[in-house]
Amino acid sequence: MLELFVWRFMQTDPNWGNFLYDVRTRTTYLIDFGAAREYDEEFVRGYLKIVVANANRDEETLMEESVRMGFLTGEESEVMRNAHKLSGFCLGEPFESYEPYDFKASKITSRISEYGAVFLKHRLTPPPEEVYTLHRKLAGAYNLCIKLGAVVSCRDLLDEVMDTNLSSEVRGFA
């Protein structure tokens, strides 16, 4: 969350070989910056609005911001709009509640993958270029949480980013 929404700079390759863990100090170090990239402020603000809309199951804001950012054209079929909405709400699920989210029990990756065929058949425009690296990292983070059996209070993390680091314009969507 800090990488994208605060620093706007992220190592986007979730390969575990890019990190070194020091058992003695319990510190993780990034040792490969080859896939690191910066995200511009406008993209980050828009993407945060989408994350918050997904977490709040706010279809209107999700669709408006998705068109504004270029995820959708606004001319998509109902089946594509529905798949976009449901996949987004699925991705936002960990942030919906203040209850700890059990990534392993959620089966979130298999549920998200159900929408791939619809996207392949019905997408009218490619998503913004920044999304390819961002979603690679997001998929890796979700898969890591699943592998570790992580149970995390994700809404608290989202609120922290919103409350301490972003403008009132974006905070108003929480």
Side-chain angles (χ1 to χ4, degrees):
M1 303 269 313
L2 291 174
E3 282 180 284
L4 179 62
F5 296 123
V6 176
W7 304 328
R8 295 188 354 253
F9 187 82
M10 179 184 288
Q11 201 289 10
T12 63
D13 183 356
N15 182 336
W16 296 8
N18 292 330
F19 300 89
L20 179 66
Y21 182 71
D22 184 333
V23 176
R24 187 179 52 80
T25 64
R26 300 180 62 140
T27 304
T28 302
Y29 297 94
L30 175 60
I31 58 174
D32 182 351
F33 287 88
R37 68 161 296 166
E38 185 174 11
Y39 294 90
D40 88 9
E41 189 170 353
E42 182 178 349
F43 173 81
V44 169
R45 287 189 184 285
Y47 197 80
L48 180 59
K49 289 178 185 177
I50 288 174
V51 170
V52 172
N54 285 329
N56 293 338
R57 301 182 75 80
D58 176 355
E59 181 177 353
E60 183 179 342
T61 301
L62 168 62
M63 295 313 218
E64 286 174 7
E65 199 61 27
S66 293
V67 169
R68 190 193 70 73
M69 289 189 69
F71 285 93
L72 301 173
T73 66
E75 302 297 320
E76 280 76 13
S77 66
E78 181 62 30
V79 70
M80 177 60 191
R81 286 192 309 271
N82 194 52
H84 182 78
K85 174 186 76 175
L86 294 176
S87 68
F89 288 174
C90 190
L91 281 170
E93 196 175 272
F95 303 99
E96 275 182 30
S97 168
Y98 290 96
E99 295 297 315
Y101 187 80
D102 185 338
F103 280 87
K104 191 171 193 171
S106 74
K107 308 279 189 231
I108 195 167
T109 54
S110 61
R111 290 186 292 125
I112 290 169
S113 69
E114 294 172 10
Y115 303 105
V118 174
F119 295 152
L120 286 173
K121 185 173 182 180
H122 297 278
R123 182 174 293 285
L124 298 179
T125 187
E129 175 267 325
E130 298 92 338
V131 167
Y132 293 102
T133 55
L134 176 58
H135 285 183
R136 177 177 64 189
K137 173 69 172 251
L138 183 60
Y142 276 43
N143 283 325
L144 176 60
C145 288
I146 290 165
K147 187 166 186 78
L148 295 174
V151 179
V152 181
S153 297
C154 298
R155 185 61 185 230
D156 292 333
L157 299 172
L158 180 59
D159 285 351
E160 184 179 327
V161 165
M162 298 290 289
D163 290 342
T164 61
N165 298 300
L166 297 167
S167 74
S168 59
E169 171 211 347
V170 176
R171 240 186 319 239
F173 287 93

